[in-house]
Amino acid sequence: MGEAKRRKQLGLMPTVYPFEADLTDDGQVTLVRAPGDKALQRTLTDALEKTQLTGDAWASEYRTALVFSGRVPGVLHTAEQVAAIPVPPLRRVSGEIVMGKTLDDVEGVAIAFDGGVIRLREQKHSLDGQKWESFPAIRDPQRVMDLLRTHPAFELEGELLGQFRVEQYAEGRIDVEPDPPEGALEALEDVAREWHGAAPEEWVELHQEMMKDQADDSDEVPLMCRTFFELRQPAPLQNPTRSVFTTRRNVEVYPLVGATYSIDGETWLSYDDPEAEPQEDDLMSAFANILNMETVQVTVKADGSVEWEDGEIDAEHAGRVRADLQAATGAGSPEQWAAWTRKMLLDTFNADEDAAEADIPVPVAVRLDVPKDAISDPDPLAQTFIESEVTFDGEHWRDLYDEEVPQELLLAIAQFKPGE
C-alpha cells in the first residue's frame, strides 16, 4: 500500500478544497468554485478581500508582471509612460484551501487562517471577463536584474503618506500615532499583528526572534512593542529590491529603525541596539532630540514664494526644497493654502468645535523650521518641518511655540456666533 493511501485511510491526510475566485480592481470578490461549507466560503472571501491588491497597487502589480514577461516594447523611464499601459479590471485566482496545515507546511504564496491555509497557485487577467491570460513565472534572478536595469521606471517611488508609531499590547490592543490616511489604519493594524504577533504564542516567538542576536537570554515576555512604519502610495512598478515589507490593498508599508519593547509599560528597551540605555519614554527622548536638532528657518508665503537666508541651503537642493514645501503647504494655490493654514492653526491651538467653524483669517506667510539633515534627504519634507511663526499682515509675526493665541485668531473666534 502506498504511503499516501495509507495516511489517507488512517485519517492523516489534510483536507483540500480547490477554489477559483474572480476579483475586481476595487476589491470585490466573487467565488466561481468553492467548498459548500458557508463558513469556509466566508473565510476564503474575507482572506482575499483583505490581502489582494486594489487600485494603484493592482495596476502596479499587473504592469510589473507584464514587464517581466517581456511584453513591453521600448524602455520605461517615467511614471507617465508606465501609466499608459492598459490594466485589465478583472483577475481570477485559483488554488486550494488546505485544512490542518500552517504556512511552514506549504510552498509558494499562501494565506494563513485559523485552521489551515489558503494556497494561491495561479492568477489570470481579463479585460472583458471572457478572454483570460496569465504570465509565466520568472525563475531566473539574472533576468529580473537585467530588466530592473533596463527600465529606469523601476526606481520611481510612490508618494509618501507619512511615518507612524505603532504600539501593540500583548493582549492585542493597537495604538497608531499620528492618525493615518483614510483606509490605511486597518493595513497598519494588520501589519502590526504580523510583525509583533497576533496570538500569544506568536507574540513570544517573534519577540524571541528579534532577541536572538542579543546576549540577554531572559524569558520575560513584553507587555508592549513599539515599531515605526512608513506608508507610501504604490510605486508605478514593483521593484523586488526595494525594502517594502508588504503591500496591503492600495498602500505600501516600509519598516523603519527604532523598534523597542517594554516589559512593564514604562521602560523601553531597544531591539536594534541592546547596549542602549533604557528609555523611560521614547516620546520624551524624541521631543528632546527635536529641540536640539539643527534647523533652517524657511519662510513660505501664500503667493508660493519660499525664502531662506543666503547660504543656508545649497543650490543643488534648493529646487527640491521649494517644490516640497509648496506641495506640503499649498502655497501658490489660494484654496489649498487657506485649507492648510486653517488646519494648522486650529490644530496648533486645539480649537474647540465652535472655533473650528469660525471664519479663520488666512496668514500671508508662515515660517517653518526644517531639519538640516532632511534637506539632503531625497524623501519629501512634509513629515519633517515644524511650523514656528505666522503673520497675517506681513509685518507682525506671531510665535506658534507661545501658549498665547494670536490676537487675529482670538478676534475671529470671538466674533463667531454658532448657529448664525
Side-chain angles (χ1 to χ4, degrees):
M1 181 185 297
E3 176 64 15
K5 186 174 181 180
R6 184 184 69 82
R7 289 175 60 83
K8 185 174 182 180
Q9 288 186 349
L10 292 174
L12 300 177
M13 295 291 285
T15 304
V16 178
Y17 301 98
F19 75 86
E20 282 187 335
D22 286 352
L23 290 76
T24 60
D25 56 6
D26 61 354
Q28 300 297 313
V29 176
T30 302
L31 300 182
V32 178
R33 180 168 60 132
D37 185 282
K38 296 297 184 182
L40 276 182
Q41 290 181 16
R42 184 71 257 167
T43 295
L44 175 60
T45 300
D46 289 345
L48 294 176
E49 287 178 345
K50 184 174 291 187
T51 61
Q52 299 305 291
L53 304 184
T54 62
D56 292 338
W58 167 296
S60 176
E61 182 182 43
Y62 173 82
R63 288 165 174 153
T64 301
L66 196 67
V67 172
F68 284 159
S69 73
R71 296 169 56 183
V72 175
V75 177
L76 299 174
H77 292 271
T78 67
E80 290 74 21
Q81 289 175 322
V82 177
I85 299 174
V87 177
L90 301 174
R91 178 178 297 169
R92 175 168 292 173
V93 296
S94 59
E96 304 93 29
I97 302 173
V98 186
M99 306 299 296
K101 292 293 185 179
T102 68
L103 292 177
D104 293 334
D105 300 324
V106 300
E107 296 181 354
V109 180
I111 308 165
F113 68 93
D114 187 14
V117 296
I118 298 166
R119 181 163 49 197
L120 305 178
R121 289 197 177 275
E122 184 183 24
Q123 64 178 15
K124 301 177 181 179
H125 303 87
S126 177
L127 291 167
D128 57 9
Q130 302 298 319
K131 182 181 178 181
W132 296 86
E133 64 171 351
S134 60
F135 301 119
I138 305 297
R139 305 189 185 280
D140 182 2
Q142 186 58 49
R143 168 68 173 161
V144 172
M145 296 307 298
D146 289 345
L147 287 166
L148 294 181
R149 287 190 288 266
T150 298
H151 297 280
F154 275 109
E155 297 302 318
L156 299 174
E157 293 185 323
E159 180 184 347
L160 178 67
L161 298 177
Q163 296 178 341
F164 304 89
R165 187 187 76 243
V166 180
E167 292 180 347
Q168 183 171 343
Y169 293 74
E171 77 271 13
R173 171 183 159 188
I174 297 175
D175 294 332
V176 178
E177 182 68 30
D179 291 337
E182 183 178 355
L185 176 60
E186 184 178 355
L188 274 174
E189 291 176 337
D190 286 344
V191 168
R193 295 185 189 99
E194 186 174 343
W195 193 269
H196 303 135
E201 60 273 14
E202 292 176 337
W203 181 266
V204 174
E205 179 182 348
L206 291 173
H207 170 68
Q208 292 174 342
E209 179 69 19
M210 294 285 285
M211 297 286 289
K212 68 179 182 180
D213 295 329
Q214 300 191 18
D216 185 0
D217 58 357
S218 170
D219 58 358
E220 290 186 295
V221 178
L223 177 68
M224 299 172 63
C225 290
R226 178 184 287 167
T227 307
F228 300 87
F229 295 103
E230 179 175 281
L231 298 184
R232 287 183 175 273
Q233 289 184 345
L237 293 175
Q238 296 179 345
N239 187 332
T241 66
R242 196 175 287 129
S243 61
V244 61
F245 172 59
T246 186
T247 302
R248 291 299 171 90
R249 293 183 69 81
N250 199 26
V251 65
E252 293 179 347
V253 184
Y254 294 79
L256 302 175
V257 298
T260 56
Y261 66 96
S262 177
I263 302 299
D264 57 11
E266 297 180 1
T267 302
W268 293 88
L269 305 169
S270 173
Y271 280 121
D272 301 329
D273 185 5
E275 302 300 323
E277 288 293 322
Q279 297 291 327
E280 288 299 318
D281 194 317
D282 278 356
L283 296 181
M284 293 303 295
S285 174
F287 186 62
N289 288 336
I290 289 174
L291 293 181
N292 294 326
M293 187 167 46
E294 285 191 272
T295 61
V296 174
Q297 189 172 77
V298 179
T299 301
V300 181
K301 298 182 179 180
D303 62 8
S305 58
V306 181
E307 303 171 351
W308 53 80
E309 293 290 334
D310 289 343
E312 288 278 25
I313 297 178
D314 293 340
E316 63 178 302
H317 303 304
R320 184 185 64 85
V321 169
R322 285 194 175 90
D324 273 9
L325 296 182
Q326 287 168 343
T329 63
S333 166
E335 296 81 8
Q336 294 178 21
W337 173 261
W340 178 78
T341 55
R342 177 187 181 87
K343 185 177 187 305
M344 180 268 294
L345 289 169
L346 294 176
D347 289 348
T348 299
F349 298 104
N350 296 315
D352 58 22
E353 292 183 8
D354 285 348
E357 296 181 18
D359 187 13
I360 303 300
V362 178
V364 298
V366 176
R367 284 176 178 158
L368 310 174
D369 291 334
V370 181
K372 285 188 175 180
D373 289 346
I375 290 172
S376 58
D377 193 310
D379 288 338
L381 297 174
Q383 301 296 320
T384 64
F385 63 74
I386 299 174
E387 302 87 354
S388 60
E389 296 179 73
V390 62
T391 179
F392 296 92
D393 58 11
E395 297 181 6
H396 302 90
W397 287 90
R398 310 298 185 188
D399 188 351
L400 294 176
Y401 294 147
D402 197 338
E403 294 183 359
E404 194 172 315
V405 180
Q407 289 297 315
E408 292 86 348
L409 191 57
L410 279 176
L411 181 61
I413 295 172
Q415 292 177 340
F416 172 70
K417 295 182 175 146
E420 293 189 358

